Amino acid sequence: MAATDLLWRHYPATLTGGRLSQIRESLVNNARLAAFARGYGFDRRLAANLAQTHVSAAAWTKVLGDVFEAYVGALALEDAGTTQRRAEEWLEALWRPLLPGADAFGEEDEAAQDAVKQRAARTFAPSGSGLKAYYEDLAPVVMENKAQQRHTVGFFVKGWEFEGLKLGEGVGQNKKSAKTRAAKDALERVERGDEVLVGLVERVEKYVAEKKTAREEAEKAKEAEA
């Protein structure tokens, strides 16, 4: 509960439950708790040691993790019924330096991400234009730690004379976030005056305008016939 409470207070509400679960796991897994146990010398205070018990390193890590968890639990029980929160305060002091910054996860608001990608699709490859916008991985996924990954994705368009024109590139902690950043990068490149992308957008806008004009003229002709 202490880890969950800390995460809810530390991160914005837009961070997904799945992402919070990943971060929580990185704080409370056996390897992390065992590292805390070693830091406080619990391993030297145990009656048994790795050589005497002939257990694997993984099993010993679990033992140390369990010992640390038991110690914290005993401290919490000792404070029960009082105003003291020594166990929670101690854990928070250990965990806070390990928490990734909220900005490390990019935009976790799915509605906002979808809006950016839809805008990019309309800008570069509107329906019926013969253009198709798509995303491709530009590099293998990098596991920065158990809670953080790095995805690198490119935003492309094909059709007309283009065979996979790269519009933008994005990096994120999940593929959806990386796609959003790639789409946003493409839109920002247009704003910065990228000649190739500006030229494409102008042609797309001309196509959309001509299509709209043709549709309006067809509707007028139909009304005149009626």
Side-chain angles (χ1 to χ4, degrees):
M1 284 296 293
T4 301
D5 289 344
L6 172 61
L7 297 182
W8 278 114
R9 284 186 277 111
H10 186 79
Y11 290 108
T14 53
L15 206 62
T16 64
R19 180 66 66 198
L20 289 172
S21 294
Q22 285 182 312
I23 302 172
R24 182 184 182 283
E25 171 61 21
S26 74
L27 299 178
V28 301
N29 62 53
N30 284 326
R32 180 74 69 194
L33 298 183
F36 292 154
R38 292 188 183 95
Y40 284 97
F42 288 5
D43 54 329
R44 297 189 298 274
R45 299 186 182 189
L46 292 177
N49 60 44
L50 183 59
Q52 293 172 337
T53 55
H54 303 290
V55 298
S56 66
W60 186 242
T61 294
K62 186 177 187 312
V63 169
L64 290 177
D66 289 345
V67 168
F68 184 81
E69 191 172 7
Y71 187 91
V72 171
L75 186 60
L77 286 174
E78 190 173 287
D79 286 347
T82 73
T83 59
Q84 295 189 93
R85 297 175 56 251
R86 290 179 298 172
E88 291 180 29
E89 291 171 356
W90 181 29
L91 288 173
E92 287 193 14
L94 293 173
W95 284 333
R96 277 193 180 279
L98 304 174
L99 294 177
D103 58 346
F105 299 102
E107 304 84 355
E108 296 283 352
D109 186 328
E110 293 190 3
Q113 292 186 64
D114 290 341
V116 171
K117 288 185 290 184
Q118 289 168 8
R119 179 188 166 203
R122 290 194 303 269
T123 299
F124 297 104
S127 177
S129 65
L131 293 166
K132 180 181 179 181
Y134 63 98
Y135 299 87
E136 280 189 359
D137 292 339
L138 297 180
V141 178
V142 176
M143 299 297 297
E144 296 184 333
N145 55 53
K146 197 161 187 177
Q148 290 180 277
Q149 302 175 357
R150 186 194 306 149
H151 295 258
T152 304
V153 174
F155 180 43
F156 299 85
V157 69
K158 64 181 178 180
W160 295 356
E161 74 272 24
F162 303 111
E163 292 294 335
L165 172 65
K166 183 180 175 183
L167 305 173
E169 180 176 330
V171 178
Q173 292 298 321
N174 55 54
K175 186 166 286 190
K176 191 165 188 177
S177 177
K179 287 180 178 180
T180 301
R181 291 182 175 182
K184 186 176 180 181
D185 180 47
L187 294 169
E188 290 176 347
R189 286 177 63 187
V190 173
E191 294 175 358
R192 293 195 299 267
D194 182 287
E195 291 186 9
V196 175
L197 269 62
V198 169
L200 172 60
V201 170
E202 288 176 348
R203 290 175 61 187
V204 167
E205 289 176 346
K206 181 180 179 182
Y207 162 80
V208 172
E210 290 176 347
K211 185 177 180 180
K212 180 180 179 182
T213 299
R215 184 172 63 251
E216 291 174 347
E217 290 178 350
E219 290 175 353
K220 289 179 180 179
K222 187 175 181 180
E223 290 175 358
E225 291 177 358

